[in-house]
Amino acid sequence: MTMTEVPDIVGTENFFDGLSVQPADPLLSIIAAFQADPRPTKIDLGVGVYRDEQGKTPILGAVKAAEARLVEAQSTKAYIGVEGNGAYLASLKSLLFQRGGGDDLVAMQTPGGTGAIRLAAELINASSPHARIWIGEPSWPVHVPLSQAAGLQTLSYRHFDPVSQQLLLDDLLEKLETALPGDIVLLHGCCHNPSGADPSAEQWQKLAEVIIRRGLIPFIDLAYHGLGDGLDADLEVLRALASVPQLLLAYSCSKNFGLYRERVGALFVRTGSPAKNQAVASTMFLLGRMIWSMPPDHGAAVVHEILGNEDLIDQWHVELATMRNRLSAVRSAIAREPALVKLGEQKGMFSQLSLTPAQIEALRRDHAIFMAGSGRVNLAGLSLRDVPRFVEALKTVSTIG
Ligand code: LMR
């Protein structure tokens, strides 16, 4: 055969024969199913997006104002660098860490909170290959596969009982007593996804005590900051863990700034020693460069614009409080039903109901109520007007109530 002859293709094999059809993402598939349903009375309690009483997810006024300022002032779209927007990171750092967080804190901008979690998982694996990570059950459905995709070994603990609607703190503490020094513990900073069951300040202290005593590394997923009890109150986890030497924090601005599609997040790492900062930061930068190269700029620039301007911060605080107060009004309305009283005590967008797949299907088929197959409901999808219909539908299909 000469160099220019093409060899015969042997057989009919396709390069992609090794791939099979994957199940749809359990949360994102609800978006399509909801959109395809023609019933005007349909209710979307699926993916975690805030909605107002009219069912809209408006752009925050503070965001609109910041965008207008950016359009006016921004003079280039040239690359910003692998670390992302340093001013944005500094603004978030002062929002999150009292007294600046110490001189052993490093940060990197990421595409959304999920990007931060992926980067953290890769960083953990780079530092300690196949490290063990404890993830609560239930948790956000992406936590386990994402950790495994990065090479980590996942271990589970029971976090919550959907029947009693109770946080299972004792189970968690008991499990952590069996964890090995250097194990990672994934914690939802506030507004637990999917249960809404957050530890109290006292319970965070108990958790922190075990984490410190057993030499565990907390990895906090903070995606709903400000939507629980408020910007300061929602940082109880960081106060409790203030003396932990090493810690990772994945942050998302999707919900609290309503910047979902702009993909705005950050990973903060407390390294335990300023001497380690460069090794940790440069590894993060290298990993980021290998996965997404450089994070998108726009959303982070908007967040920095807001956090750097007193009027815009005030406006954001008011808008965030409006979202938070609406969520708690919906929770209070649901909690008037005695069997659902616990939902009134939970925080943030989500609660996890004890429903069978058949009951969840009946809610969709007979009542046009869409929720995750796990029984998770995004209560931000309910208007106050729809609460009675929702509660009645639950009573019709299940023994709740
Ligand atoms: C959710 O849990 O619904 C949100 O965090 C959106 C997502 O990416 O899953």
Side-chain angles (χ1 to χ4, degrees):
M1 189 170 77
T2 68
M3 294 293 280
T4 49
E5 274 177 295
V6 180
D8 283 347
I9 294 171
V10 182
T12 55
E13 278 164 28
N14 182 305
F15 176 73
F16 298 109
D17 278 347
L19 302 182
S20 54
V21 176
Q22 300 297 313
D25 181 278
L27 295 174
L28 302 186
S29 56
I30 309 168
I31 299 177
F34 180 79
Q35 280 171 353
D37 193 296
R39 290 172 287 183
T41 54
K42 61 189 177 177
I43 298 174
D44 181 4
L45 308 182
V47 77
V49 170
Y50 174 81
R51 295 208 174 78
D52 63 16
E53 262 306 292
Q54 284 68 46
K56 301 266 182 302
T57 307
I59 301 174
L60 300 191
V63 166
K64 277 279 187 202
E67 286 182 319
R69 290 165 60 113
L70 273 181
V71 167
E72 199 56 42
Q74 209 167 42
S75 58
T76 179
K77 293 284 183 191
Y79 291 130
I80 204 159
V82 73
E83 176 192 2
N85 183 330
Y88 153 80
L89 292 169
S91 308
L92 276 190
K93 196 166 141 186
S94 19
L95 181 71
L96 294 171
F97 297 93
Q98 284 155 356
R99 296 183 298 277
D103 54 7
D104 59 349
L105 192 70
V106 297
M108 181 169 165
Q109 186 190 323
T110 57
T114 309
I117 298 169
R118 180 63 193 236
L119 181 65
E122 295 286 348
L123 181 72
I124 292 164
N125 200 53
S127 178
S128 171
H130 314 301
R132 308 189 331 158
I133 180 166
W134 293 85
I135 300 180
E137 172 56 40
S139 198
W140 184 50
V142 188
H143 279 146
V144 168
L146 184 154
S147 302
Q148 291 172 348
L152 305 181
Q153 288 180 64
T154 54
L155 297 157
S156 90
Y157 61 83
R158 282 181 77 217
H159 171 85
F160 175 75
D161 174 22
V163 176
S164 65
Q165 290 288 318
Q166 296 283 3
L167 169 74
L168 301 175
L169 186 79
D170 289 343
D171 286 34
L172 168 51
L173 292 172
E174 208 175 289
K175 265 288 157 74
L176 292 188
E177 290 292 357
T178 69
L180 304 174
D183 278 359
I184 314 291
V185 187
L186 182 77
L187 301 165
H188 298 226
C190 68
C191 307
H192 185 272
N193 180 2
S195 70
D198 287 349
S200 64
E202 194 191 323
Q203 290 173 325
W204 276 126
Q205 290 297 340
K206 286 188 179 167
L207 271 164
E209 190 276 318
V210 183
I211 285 172
I212 294 165
R213 180 164 45 74
R214 296 204 61 80
L216 312 179
I217 316 287
F219 172 12
I220 303 160
D221 180 358
L222 189 54
Y224 297 87
H225 180 207
L227 287 165
D229 288 323
L231 283 169
D232 183 59
D234 288 352
L235 295 180
E236 211 52 67
V237 61
L238 284 179
R239 281 188 279 275
L241 295 169
S243 64
V244 176
Q246 281 115 46
L247 162 153
L248 299 101
L249 170 73
Y251 194 79
S252 169
C253 300
S254 295
K255 333 278 166 161
N256 55 2
F257 286 87
L259 283 166
Y260 307 87
R261 64 173 66 165
E262 300 295 354
R263 313 309 299 137
V264 201
L267 176 65
F268 291 90
V269 182
R270 190 187 292 156
T271 66
S273 158
K276 292 276 171 256
N277 289 4
Q278 225 187 328
V280 175
S282 60
T283 306
M284 280 159 68
F285 299 164
L286 183 69
L287 289 166
R289 176 74 166 147
M290 295 304 114
I291 312 175
W292 53 69
S293 186
M294 281 169 271
D297 171 62
H298 181 73
V302 167
V303 168
H304 171 59
E305 198 70 36
I306 294 173
L307 295 179
N309 176 291
E310 275 182 28
D311 291 340
L312 293 185
I313 289 194
D314 289 348
Q315 190 176 356
W316 175 56
H317 285 172
V318 170
E319 293 182 295
L320 185 60
T322 303
M323 294 196 265
R324 183 170 62 240
N325 293 340
R326 200 185 95 68
L327 284 171
S328 76
V330 169
R331 286 191 177 280
S332 303
I334 293 174
R336 284 196 207 108
E337 170 61 42
L340 296 170
V341 75
K342 280 287 198 187
L343 273 67
E345 297 162 20
Q346 295 160 0
K347 308 289 175 200
M349 290 188 182
F350 306 116
S351 284
Q352 168 102 31
L353 300 173
S354 174
L355 294 170
T356 63
Q359 291 165 339
I360 293 166
E361 174 51 28
L363 284 165
R364 186 183 289 207
R365 187 188 58 235
D366 304 336
H367 302 273
I369 296 174
F370 289 70
M371 65 177 67
S374 61
R376 187 190 84 168
V377 282
N378 170 21
L379 298 174
L382 269 182
S383 68
L384 285 170
R385 195 184 54 250
D386 282 335
V387 168
R389 179 154 81 84
F390 169 66
V391 173
E392 276 317 302
L394 280 181
K395 286 178 167 180
T396 310
V397 305
S398 73
T399 51
I400 292 175

